[in-house]
Amino acid sequence: MAAQEQAIDPIHQFNIERLAHFNVGGVDASFTNASVFMIVVTALVSLLMLAGTSQRSLVPSRMQAAAEMAYEFVAGTVRGSIGHEGMRFFPLVFSLFMFVLFSNMLGLVPYTFTVTSQIIVTFAFAAIVIGTVIVYGVVRNGAHFLHLFVPSGVPALLMPFIVLIEIISFISRPVSLSVRLFANMLAGHITLKVFGGFVALMLGAGGFAAFLAPLPMAAIVLLTAFELLVAVLQAYVFAILTCVYLNDAIHPGH
Amino acid sequence: MANDNSGHTTGTQVPGAAGHADVFPPFDANNFAPQLVWLALTFGALYLLMSKIALPRVAGILDARSTKISSELDSAKHIQTQAAEAGRVYEQVLSDGKAHAQTLTQNTQNQMTIESDAKRRALEAELNAKLVAAEKQIAGIRDSAMANVEDIARGAASAIVKQLTGKSPDDDSVAKAVSAARQG
């Protein structure tokens, strides 16, 4: 009974399993299933970007072409939304994009763990982005960075109201950035799992229900294609919003 | 799962209960620290690998390619101008050759004209000389023939006179009479 319950429990896939216990200075640094997939994602991205480009061919191999495409895609996004000056953040945006993209894609493979379905992971990414925005914005622009909250051309009467809205908007950025990715991954995987559970339950029930079991199976096929789109799209959204926020750090005056 | 966790977590979960029932796993604060630690390690490693090795390498590859392409295009352009120059030289040589050939033909023709003129003139002069000599010869022959005619006339006249008169006239009067008759 427990095994069957586990098989159709849509939340089970998000559980963190501690595979090895570590405690470093009072901090729980246990090696978990999430750690495994973080390492796998890092290894896959590194494989693409390092092994793929090791030949340095003038005429690229397939893998080198893929690595170059990833490079030029992210570089184009950064240049397009921040400008040439934004290329200093290119490694950060690229690493974020590739890590999120590979996490999302890898998570679609059955029996894998989706690193980005954990709010703490997506929030950590958002914190890195917003932290970079604040630190770089203040270092570069000093007090002028506060112009981010004071748009020009606003009537004095409305100014306090607008400033309040801008501040709330700025504070909500890391929240929206992290929750968007987390919720998309979570919801997609729960939906897939629920439909998968339907198939198992209907087949188990037998009779007419078992006859209808291929229907949720077909839905899973369609949803998997849709989740593939969401996986890529959310990685792109994360990268482009990172660029938009970093743009504020460089050009705070709107 | 829950049973695995319950032994090691710090106590927010109720041991023995289904773990997911009381805390939704992604919101379980006990799981935050290990994930943050390993995310810092892995993402840090990824960032270092990308920023220090992979991205400069790809940038180098793309840069080398664009440099190669532009240098190839430059050299192609250079070769094209060289080819155009060679073509121009070829045209020049060709037209020079044509002009040279034309002057050569012209000169040869002129030379031949001059030579044939000279030959013709020499031939004409020779022929004229021959003609003159022939005319002179003809005139000499005619003169001598004429002289013979006078002698014959004189002889005939003196013979006629001798027949008519029976006496032979003296030569002087016969000669006079013959030349008078020829004059008249």
Side-chain angles (χ1 to χ4, degrees):
Chain A
M1 184 61 209
Q4 196 193 352
E5 193 182 295
Q6 186 173 321
I8 60 168
D9 171 16
I11 305 302
H12 173 71
Q13 58 182 321
F14 304 113
N15 275 350
I16 301 288
E17 318 274 0
R18 281 166 175 73
L19 304 174
H21 292 268
F22 296 113
N23 196 312
V24 182
V27 178
D28 182 7
S30 298
F31 189 74
T32 64
N33 55 345
S35 316
V36 171
F37 282 93
M38 285 175 191
I39 291 171
V40 170
V41 164
T42 304
L44 286 177
V45 177
S46 304
L47 182 74
L48 173 67
M49 296 309 296
L50 294 174
T53 58
S54 60
Q55 298 292 314
R56 292 185 174 81
S57 313
L58 199 63
V59 178
S61 61
R62 260 187 264 186
M63 215 155 124
Q64 191 184 321
E68 286 173 12
M69 265 169 68
Y71 179 97
E72 288 187 325
F73 176 70
V74 179
T77 306
V78 171
R79 278 201 203 94
S81 48
I82 317 183
H84 201 72
E85 207 180 343
M87 287 309 277
R88 68 169 64 232
F89 295 119
F90 175 58
L92 176 65
V93 178
F94 185 83
S95 304
L96 281 172
F97 174 73
M98 293 305 268
F99 195 98
V100 171
L101 178 67
F102 274 65
S103 298
N104 294 355
M105 299 288 272
L106 191 66
L108 283 175
V109 178
Y111 299 107
T112 57
F113 179 85
T114 314
V115 176
T116 43
S117 68
Q118 300 288 319
I119 183 76
I120 188 66
V121 171
T122 61
F123 187 78
F125 285 146
I128 291 171
V129 172
I130 300 300
T132 308
V133 167
I134 293 172
V135 170
Y136 185 75
V138 170
V139 166
R140 186 190 145 94
N141 301 296
H144 186 66
F145 181 63
L146 294 175
H147 278 233
L148 188 62
F149 305 111
V150 188
S152 53
V154 175
L157 197 63
L158 280 176
M159 193 54 99
F161 186 61
I162 295 292
V163 167
L164 186 68
I165 288 179
E166 289 285 346
I167 289 173
I168 292 172
S169 141
F170 187 83
I171 291 170
S172 64
R173 276 175 181 182
V175 178
S176 71
L177 193 58
S178 54
V179 169
R180 181 182 301 108
L181 177 58
F182 157 70
N184 268 287
M185 289 303 110
L186 187 82
H189 284 82
I190 288 178
T191 314
L192 284 175
K193 189 74 184 185
V194 165
F195 274 84
F198 282 169
V199 178
L201 282 179
M202 286 162 89
L203 282 176
F208 187 62
F211 179 71
L212 287 181
L215 286 178
M217 188 65 206
I220 291 175
V221 173
L222 292 176
L223 278 172
T224 304
F226 179 70
E227 284 305 314
L228 208 60
L229 171 74
V230 169
V232 178
L233 196 68
Q234 286 304 319
Y236 178 63
V237 165
F238 198 93
I240 201 148
L241 283 176
T242 300
C243 290
V244 169
Y245 298 158
L246 288 170
N247 186 39
D248 281 345
I250 297 177
H251 312 109
H254 284 273
Chain B
M1 33 157 197
N3 293 331
D4 299 341
N5 287 348
S6 57
H8 317 295
T9 45
T10 46
T12 50
Q13 286 182 323
V14 180
H20 63 267
D22 43 347
V23 186
F24 184 54
F27 293 150
D28 185 352
N30 290 316
N31 294 331
F32 286 179
Q35 290 199 75
L36 284 177
V37 168
W38 284 95
L39 183 68
L41 289 174
T42 54
F43 188 71
L46 182 71
Y47 181 82
L48 283 178
L49 285 174
M50 292 301 113
S51 62
K52 298 293 176 207
I53 306 173
L55 298 179
R57 187 190 285 174
V58 176
I61 292 168
L62 295 176
D63 194 49
R65 185 174 304 143
S66 69
T67 312
K68 174 86 174 158
I69 288 172
S70 66
S71 78
E72 297 283 280
L73 278 178
D74 279 356
S75 74
K77 213 174 277 177
H78 183 64
I79 289 169
Q80 200 177 27
T81 53
Q82 273 184 339
E85 178 67 20
R88 215 181 53 72
V89 169
Y90 164 77
E91 291 290 335
Q92 182 69 43
V93 167
L94 195 67
S95 70
D96 280 2
K98 268 183 186 167
H100 185 67
Q102 218 156 22
T103 52
L104 206 64
T105 318
Q106 193 70 49
N107 287 350
T108 314
Q109 212 162 27
N110 290 348
Q111 194 76 32
M112 278 162 71
T113 315
I114 289 165
E115 273 175 24
S116 69
D117 275 4
K119 270 184 190 163
R120 199 190 58 205
R121 246 176 247 126
L123 207 59
E124 273 176 2
E126 197 184 331
L127 287 175
N128 280 341
K130 276 185 181 166
L131 206 60
V132 168
E135 274 173 358
K136 207 179 274 171
Q137 199 179 353
I138 289 167
I141 290 167
R142 195 185 56 194
D143 287 352
S144 68
M146 279 309 185
N148 290 346
V149 166
E150 241 173 64
D151 286 349
I152 292 164
R154 276 185 211 137
S158 60
I160 291 166
V161 169
K162 195 175 182 182
Q163 280 288 319
L164 291 175
T165 59
K167 60 174 183 172
S168 52
D170 65 315
D171 287 350
D172 278 357
S173 55
V174 169
K176 259 181 207 158
V178 166
S179 60
R182 278 187 70 198
Q183 298 295 318

